[in-house]
Amino acid sequence: MIEKKHRGFKYFLGHRSPTEILIFGFALFILFGAFLLMLPVSAQSGQATGFVNALFTSTSSVCVTGLVVVDTGTYWSVFGQAVICFLVEIGGLGFMSFATMFFVLAGKRITIKDRILIQSSVNMDSLSGIVRFVKYIFFSAIAIQAIGAILLSFVFVPDFGLTTGIGFSVFHSVTSFCNAGFDLMGDYKSLTGYVDNFMVNFVICTLIVLGGLGFAVTSDLIYVRKFRKMSMHSKVVLVSTGFLLIAGFVLFFIFEFNNPKTMGNLSWHGKFLASMFQSVTPRTAGCNTIDVAGLTKPSIFLTMLLMFVGASPGSTGGGVKTTTVAIVLMTVGSVLYGKKDVIAFKRTILGPLIRRAISILVIASGLVFFMIFVLLCTEPQASFDVVVFEVLSAFGTVGLTMGLTPHLSIAGKLAISLTMFIGRLGPLTIAYAISRSEKRARENVGTIKLPEGNIMIG
Amino acid sequence: MIEKKHRGFKYFLGHRSPTEILIFGFALFILFGAFLLMLPVSAQSGQATGFVNALFTSTSSVCVTGLVVVDTGTYWSVFGQAVICFLVEIGGLGFMSFATMFFVLAGKRITIKDRILIQSSVNMDSLSGIVRFVKYIFFSAIAIQAIGAILLSFVFVPDFGLTTGIGFSVFHSVTSFCNAGFDLMGDYKSLTGYVDNFMVNFVICTLIVLGGLGFAVTSDLIYVRKFRKMSMHSKVVLVSTGFLLIAGFVLFFIFEFNNPKTMGNLSWHGKFLASMFQSVTPRTAGCNTIDVAGLTKPSIFLTMLLMFVGASPGSTGGGVKTTTVAIVLMTVGSVLYGKKDVIAFKRTILGPLIRRAISILVIASGLVFFMIFVLLCTEPQASFDVVVFEVLSAFGTVGLTMGLTPHLSIAGKLAISLTMFIGRLGPLTIAYAISRSEKRARENVGTIKLPEGNIMIG
Ligand SMILES: [K+]
Ligand SMILES: [K+]
């Protein structure tokens, strides 16, 4: 009987597309996390947690978002916090690459089917070297997080004692690298207590940026080193990420310089660190060192735009991705300057890639618009900016909030959970659906005519 | 001396591109309007009006927007109102097509240079028949507005007496057809007094829609009649306009059904008319029969989206244009369904047109984002939704407001004036700049390979 059931499940899996298995796996894993968080042992109070709040927290963890309906530091027990940390780590490194590692370690053979599965979860174009790549992801990610935790312990152990300090260091290193905005500081205050602490700002920003560049790019940074010799994808990611970080830093510095609610009372040193952190965190990290609701309106709007753009593909971050926006902007530039082709770093960007980038941008905008409509209906008390901010934060799996999350209605919690889920899987699955349909289109034509500049998007 | 000056001006004109002359002409005309409105005779009070308010009103008139810093019905004298009506008519029919008509009537020869000038102002692709087309624009526009005025006088003459009634009928017919949201009802109340008046709703909506379809399409509607035989451009315009009107109607009906501030207390008949009007007006018309600030939040958001899309190219309306959005959405559709080409109504839409549409969308978004930043800085008291609404209304030359316009700071008034100016000329000039650079690109390649589906955008 069990044998038959097992065969039935195998049959079921064998007839699903990789995308379907990925979605199914994520959903199952979120439900599993929600189950663990509902247990009385997960809550500080020793009481069982309701399904909606547990589901919301689990979704937020697995989708590496960090939006919270209850305060992570005071509501959950150490066990509950460990569950969240575990869900974030698996969500961040990718459900499938984790599973593959498990197969590799257990000595199992990786089939072509498995490889396609992994490919669609890490968003790589070629099947060759995929297993090696996943191994690399896993070990380098663990190494980076370990270093981050050690550095953070120099601050957190003196502040919180040995056991709690080490726990805090590990937790914040994991959530930072995975671009999940959870924190254990209590009272929804995130890292505001460390606004002018150099070590905390430096370590956490570095972890966020490394996590958000994507594994292909960090690999190029570590092994290739010279910019000229890097892949075109890495070049585009590094230039656009650098531009966004610097522009964000300068604008936050200007907008918040005299704002007493945020950094008006800080020293120049503190203002510098705070602007840097606020420029880094909307790129889907989600923790904050100054109060988001206290930001000036231009800063709020800037944060919204940065959250929509998000991180780079194949990373732990969300959003429509830097490369998608870069390709669209390069296209506009080529049109304005009357160029026949879209050219970047001496490579032509072909029509299909451009159309793919536009599709991701348009579909993402459509989903965001739809969810804004839903939230405006389910949360009639919330003002417009708060709702737009919340939806962009959920869709980009950012985790920043102007304070709406804990006050959401049940319908609102479910809508935001769904938005996080679509935000995490959407771009991936859209990209997959597009690349599959494109392969079909390509087969219709025969061959591609020009050498293509290869950039991951979505 | 005068002779020399004249030659100097001719020399100046001869060495400007059509786009530059168009921008120059619009700016000059706006200044002329501002001068007229500053005169004591223009104001009800008999006092001279300040430059900023006069400039704002003149810009709003020439750019057929309808945003007002002072109430049109009570602040301006009959002379001032006539000036506004005149500025709207010229702004609506296009400064250049009006000038050409003048040349034609004066028996002057139309040079190729003049034709290019007109072409860039009415956004047509071919030079042939341009003079005939401008004549057609002029006479059919006057005829439609005359019929509108006569129909409106059946309501306005009984309500306001013979002289005022006829004046009101002419004024509202002109501003409706030209998609300028000015009204003479007083106290910024627009057409709220006529929310359930069938005649007013029917006539004004028809005028707005006819004005917003664009002259090429109304021409097809009048002379070709059969949908199958119309140009591809007309087909795309009619389908997308129809879709937007119906979708807007249904959504407003749902969102506002029970809202006591808008149409909750109306009969079914009134609700039907009010939903229809609110669906038509964001397509850059700008007058309203229910209080905009009283709309539910989902309706506000829907209005924002409709204002950004705007009317169709070659019309009196603004926005990024229906065809631009249609082309981008068709592109996304073709990508998702794995089609090699983007096909609409049995014609291929080529890469250059797609890239052009994307450019207009991206540049428009960029300008809107920039102006939102500016207004958030100059109007720190205004809430986020009010600012976004105001900028979208100005950029789309719509004229609806949530109440911010009369309370704008001097800097805010100038910023909104500039936004209206860019909003009116921007898409035109962008489209022109693009088509010129595209011609250059085309010359680089040699010839176009495929038959192109010809659609005006921007
Ligand atoms: K996050
Ligand atoms: K208007």
Side-chain angles (χ1 to χ4, degrees), chain A residues 415-430:
Chain A
I416 288 289
S417 296
L418 185 63
T419 310
M420 293 190 283
F421 187 68
I422 297 176
R424 182 69 181 137
L425 285 178
L428 271 183
T429 52
I430 293 165

Side-chain angles (χ1 to χ4, degrees), chain B residues 135-322:
Chain B
K135 269 190 197 163
Y136 152 77
I137 289 178
F138 192 78
F139 289 115
S140 64
I142 298 295
I144 291 171
Q145 291 173 65
I147 296 168
I150 291 166
L151 290 174
L152 285 176
S153 68
F154 286 104
V155 177
F156 291 153
V157 168
D159 281 9
F160 300 98
L162 190 67
T163 332
T164 312
I166 289 177
F168 273 35
S169 302
V170 171
F171 187 92
H172 289 100
S173 181
V174 169
T175 55
S176 299
F177 181 76
C178 292
N179 275 262
F182 290 91
D183 69 274
L184 298 177
M185 298 304 165
D187 300 328
Y188 303 108
K189 66 174 180 271
S190 196
L191 298 169
T192 46
Y194 294 94
V195 58
D196 53 3
N197 183 304
F198 178 77
M199 180 64 114
V200 172
N201 275 275
F202 174 76
V203 173
I204 290 195
C205 283
T206 307
L207 288 170
I208 291 170
V209 171
L210 283 179
L213 284 176
F215 301 111
V217 179
T218 42
S219 157
D220 262 11
L221 278 179
I222 294 168
Y223 298 111
V224 181
R225 286 191 202 118
K226 280 187 184 155
F227 185 78
R228 251 185 320 112
K229 291 188 178 172
M230 286 183 189
S231 71
M232 183 187 179
H233 171 77
S234 296
K235 286 177 182 170
V236 173
V237 166
L238 289 173
V239 169
S240 52
T241 302
F243 173 79
L244 286 174
L245 289 179
I246 293 168
F249 168 79
V250 171
L251 289 173
F252 279 118
F253 196 82
I254 295 170
F255 293 151
E256 298 301 319
F257 192 84
N258 278 321
N259 184 354
K261 287 186 200 160
T262 57
M263 57 190 228
N265 301 321
L266 296 176
S267 64
W268 275 81
H269 166 80
K271 283 177 183 173
F272 188 88
L273 286 179
S275 304
M276 182 185 75
F277 200 93
Q278 259 48 242
S279 169
V280 167
T281 192
R283 319 293 315 293
T284 99
C287 41
N288 49 295
T289 60
I290 55 183
D291 180 29
V292 175
L295 289 170
T296 61
K297 283 177 194 134
S299 293
I300 296 272
F301 186 57
L302 176 62
T303 307
M304 287 178 184
L305 295 182
L306 290 175
M307 291 198 298
F308 185 69
V309 175
S312 301
S315 76
T316 54
V320 294
K321 306 292 183 305
T322 52

Side-chain angles (χ1 to χ4, degrees), chain B residues 55-68 88 180 182 420:
Chain B
L55 179 75
F56 189 97
T57 308
S58 177
T59 309
S60 184
S61 306
V62 175
C63 301
V64 289
T65 306
L67 288 173
V68 288
V88 163
F182 290 91
M420 292 190 284

